[in-house]
Amino acid sequence: MTSTAQPPPSGARAAHPEHLGHVIFIAAAAAMGGFLFGYDSAVINGAVEAIRDRYDIGSAALAQVIAIALIGCAIGAATAGRIADRIGRIRCMQISAVLFTVSAVGSALPFALYDLAFWRVIGGFAIGMASVIGPAYIAEVAPAAYRGRLGSFQQAAIVIGIAISQLVNWGILNAAGGDQRGKLMGLEAWQVMLGVMVIPAVLYGLLSFAIPESPRFLISAGKDARAREVLREVEGDNVDLDARVAEIEHAMKSEHKSVFKDLLGGTFFFKPIVWVGIGLSVFQQFVGINVAFYYSSTLWQSVGVDPSESFFYSFTTSIINIVGTVIAMIFVDRIGRKPLALIGSVGMVIGLGLEAWAFSFDLVDGKLPATQGWVALIAAHVFVLFFALSWGVVVWVFLGEMFPNKIRAAALGVAASAQWIANWAITASFPSLADWNLSMTYVIYTVFAALSIPFVLKFVTETKGKTLEEMG
């Protein structure tokens, strides 16, 4: 019979490290992966029309080049955990940094369209790895008293990465005289946009050499002495290090490794709670949020906005995204996940509905009428704000909390996979849908935002204030 004896308390829960600044540095360095996640995801926004023009391709082929990175994302996310368990979290970060760097150079210097697509897949693999390893490492290194706040670094880094990529794109476009194919440093402007990511990618790699390996991995690798050093470094001298190591060992031995078959059951293949997680992931993407980050400059140019202005609006949208994310981080534990999701859904319906209305008008001299143009611009920012303060953060909080312990890891993996697939579906379909009817495209997104309201009301259970053990 297996012993269930608990190790002696270590005092870690109340630990307040003497060198909090160093702990913040460690979390921020790890969150650079999140910054690159956001940067690499959104930087393509500045190159879409130039790629269409240079390679003379239609909307369907263009969409596949833009969306193909998501295949790499899915593979990277699916394999990162196993890679990190085999070779360590830090080595995994360093591999991700190398892939980001190689992808940036390759994307900036493509000799053909398929070559560009290949480098985008490599960058996507790095994004997928960063999306998994950053939060996992921060959770394992952060002292319990600061884990929530330090964990939020990853999401903050992602939205900052999106914003910085749009600011850099705007600056490069202006330097090239407002022409996405204008020459800069012997390259076309869009190539420079994709290549600049080398700088944060190299910085990420360098920072990974300046932070310690996770104590959890060190213990799993039999390096208890080094694990104690890291624990002292991040949790302080007042913690009983021997007891702390014993706690981690006990937790690792008692963990249930959830597998896919644990998710099966119920009427429709998966257990109902797994379908709720899949539903949250799909609704998060089917409102069209990534259109705002992958195609916004193209969208504004299609209704007559000057390229330089369209790039600037992409940047302001990204700033709104940051503001909304901060609002969500402030209120998610105060008013709850479910109310925040419902508030966001209502706001998104209004924003998307107004965009659909504005885009339904015929262009005059290649532009939307002034009133409709301003309505479209303001509504786009309203949509992003309400998404960011709700579904952008709340879905990840729900997915981390809502599943029973026995199936949490496997269920989260399935829900995250559903999110990548839904992301791909929206990203790959938008150019063709926009060519067909831009207004109706936004009507479709509005319908999904509206359907998310009864879905949350009927199927989603509030998790605020509950322990993970209470989930079953």
Side-chain angles (χ1 to χ4, degrees):
M1 186 173 179
T2 303
S3 172
T4 58
Q6 298 288 329
S10 64
R13 187 177 298 276
H16 292 273
E18 292 84 356
H19 309 291
L20 181 58
H22 182 58
V23 176
I24 292 172
F25 168 77
I26 290 172
M32 269 299 295
F35 178 90
L36 282 159
F37 177 167
Y39 194 102
D40 194 23
S41 297
V43 70
I44 194 67
N45 188 15
V48 173
E49 288 307 302
I51 292 171
R52 187 201 299 268
D53 182 61
R54 173 163 172 170
Y55 296 105
D56 191 25
I57 54 175
S59 294
L62 177 68
Q64 294 309 315
V65 174
I66 306 306
I68 199 169
L70 298 169
I71 296 174
C73 291
I75 297 171
T79 58
R82 292 184 181 181
I83 294 172
D85 284 340
R86 284 179 176 270
I87 64 174
R89 284 59 166 151
I90 298 298
R91 288 285 178 266
C92 195
M93 289 182 196
Q94 290 164 353
I95 291 172
S96 177
V98 170
L99 292 177
F100 275 123
T101 304
V102 169
S103 171
V105 174
S107 297
L109 304 170
F111 51 81
L113 188 64
Y114 69 84
D115 178 45
L116 175 61
F118 172 76
W119 295 119
R120 286 199 41 76
V121 172
I122 297 299
F125 192 93
I127 291 173
M129 292 183 73
S131 72
V132 171
I133 198 63
Y137 173 84
I138 293 171
E140 291 178 357
V141 172
Y146 302 100
R147 185 173 297 127
R149 281 164 286 184
L150 294 175
S152 68
F153 279 24
Q154 175 80 357
Q155 181 64 24
I158 291 171
V159 296
I160 291 171
I162 292 171
I164 295 298
S165 72
Q166 301 312 297
L167 179 61
V168 170
N169 283 356
W170 180 56
I172 290 173
L173 183 72
N174 285 321
D179 182 2
Q180 288 169 260
R181 298 198 60 189
K183 292 293 185 178
L184 273 179
M185 298 181 289
L187 300 173
E188 294 183 6
W190 70 272
Q191 294 176 273
V192 178
M193 292 175 191
L194 300 183
V196 164
M197 196 182 69
V198 165
I199 297 171
V202 170
L203 177 60
Y204 180 41
L206 293 175
L207 285 171
S208 70
F209 286 97
I211 58 178
E213 181 54 86
S214 154
R216 186 182 178 91
F217 174 76
L218 291 170
I219 291 170
S220 72
K223 300 178 180 179
D224 290 13
R226 176 56 183 151
R228 286 184 178 85
E229 292 175 14
V230 176
L231 288 167
R232 178 182 290 109
E233 191 177 331
V234 299
E235 296 187 358
D237 294 322
N238 297 325
V239 175
D240 184 334
L241 297 177
D242 290 334
R244 187 73 182 96
V245 169
E247 279 181 354
I248 295 172
E249 288 178 334
H250 178 80
M252 292 169 63
K253 289 176 182 177
S254 62
E255 281 177 352
H256 172 82
K257 299 288 186 183
S258 57
V259 294
F260 184 78
K261 68 178 182 179
D262 291 334
L263 309 181
L264 306 181
T267 308
F268 300 104
F269 192 68
F270 287 127
K271 293 177 179 179
I273 190 65
V274 179
W275 281 116
V276 174
I278 292 171
L280 285 168
S281 290
V282 169
F283 274 117
Q284 188 197 50
Q285 295 301 315
F286 275 15
V287 297
I289 186 59
N290 280 312
V291 168
F293 299 125
Y294 298 162
Y295 296 114
S296 60
S297 62
T298 295
L299 173 65
W300 297 123
Q301 289 174 56
S302 73
V303 292
V305 175
D306 174 81
S308 184
E309 288 184 2
S310 74
F311 275 52
F312 179 70
Y313 293 149
S314 296
F315 171 62
T316 59
T317 302
S318 300
I319 295 299
I320 292 295
N321 188 35
I322 294 175
V323 172
T325 300
V326 171
I327 293 172
M329 290 164 62
I330 291 171
F331 288 104
V332 69
D333 284 323
R334 296 186 182 184
I335 68 173
R337 291 81 164 119
K338 192 168 177 176
L340 211 53
L342 292 170
I343 291 168
S345 293
V346 172
M348 289 191 295
V349 168
I350 294 170
L352 290 167
L354 287 172
E355 284 191 87
W357 172 81
F359 293 140
S360 69
F361 286 77
D362 292 332
L363 303 184
V364 178
D365 296 327
K367 296 184 178 183
L368 278 177
T371 300
Q372 284 72 27
W374 279 108
V375 168
L377 184 61
I378 294 169
H381 286 72
V382 168
F383 162 59
V384 170
L385 175 64
F386 276 94
F387 176 87
L389 65 80
S390 60
W391 286 74
V393 171
V394 163
V395 168
W396 288 110
V397 175
F398 267 131
L399 294 180
E401 296 175 338
M402 65 186 286
F403 300 116
N405 282 334
K406 184 178 179 181
I407 67 168
R408 179 168 293 115
L412 184 52
V414 167
S417 297
Q419 196 168 112
W420 287 119
I421 293 168
N423 188 341
W424 174 84
I426 292 298
T427 304
S429 64
F430 176 75
S432 296
L433 285 173
D435 284 351
W436 163 64
N437 190 314
L438 184 58
S439 177
M440 284 304 300
T441 301
Y442 273 83
V443 168
I444 293 170
Y445 300 155
T446 306
V447 168
F448 279 111
L451 290 175
S452 71
I453 296 172
F455 175 80
V456 170
L457 288 171
K458 183 172 177 59
F459 297 110
V460 178
T461 302
E462 179 61 75
T463 57
K464 174 192 171 186
K466 296 182 180 180
T467 64
L468 297 183
E469 288 67 34
E470 289 180 82
M471 299 301 145

